[in-house]
Amino acid sequence: MNITPLTIYLWQAADKLASFLGPLSFFSGLIAVIFIVIYLIYTYTAISDDEDAATDRTFKMLRTSIWITSPLAVFIITFAALLPTSNTIAMMVIIPRISESKVIQQDLPDIYNAAISALKKQLTQEK
């Protein structure tokens, strides 16, 4: 895989997308929860008033809203949680290339081993 300008752009766009998806996932989840609560309140009120809620237009609109917003909110929240940062994407692309390099493995194995151990130490300290 060649590192193209598009690849570099997508690395940098990942951070911007993550900062956009954070608030969006919060509000989409909040809207889905609000629709579910309104639906439950409306259903309970309709049952206690002996109305046929299943044929009511408001009931159908609420049910449709829940069927649209809930899966959308789950998708946005999951995507926001699993989206890697630009540093992670760079490490996923660059580190395998460096480690598979013939120069590193044959000519400079001490530097390679020191870099790998430093990277492992840094990754374990961040958790």
Side-chain angles (χ1 to χ4, degrees):
M1 177 180 151
N2 292 331
I3 299 176
T4 63
L6 178 64
T7 308
I8 295 170
Y9 171 76
L10 291 175
W11 285 350
Q12 298 306 312
D15 288 336
K16 292 177 184 175
L17 185 62
S19 65
F20 172 73
L21 284 177
L24 183 65
S25 64
F26 172 76
F27 287 118
S28 65
L30 184 67
I31 289 171
V33 168
I34 288 171
F35 274 139
I36 290 171
V37 169
I38 291 172
Y39 172 79
L40 292 174
I41 291 171
Y42 185 79
T43 304
Y44 177 75
T45 306
I47 290 172
S48 64
D49 292 342
D50 292 330
E51 295 177 12
D52 190 13
T55 59
D56 192 13
R57 183 176 178 174
T58 308
F59 179 79
K60 290 180 180 179
M61 183 185 71
L62 284 171
R63 188 175 55 202
T64 303
S65 299
I66 289 172
W67 281 105
I68 293 171
T69 58
S70 296
L72 186 64
V74 168
F75 173 75
I76 291 171
I77 291 168
T78 304
F79 188 69
L82 297 178
L83 184 69
T85 63
S86 61
N87 290 340
T88 305
I89 295 171
M91 284 191 283
M92 289 167 37
V93 173
I94 301 294
I95 290 177
R97 285 187 158 191
I98 293 172
S99 66
E100 293 170 359
S101 170
K102 182 179 177 182
V103 173
I104 294 294
Q105 289 189 358
Q106 291 179 356
D107 299 337
L108 305 169
D110 296 333
I111 295 174
Y112 171 73
N113 292 332
I116 293 297
S117 63
L119 181 63
K120 286 180 182 177
K121 186 186 291 184
Q122 182 182 11
L123 291 175
T124 54
Q125 287 176 357
E126 288 180 3
K127 294 180 181 180

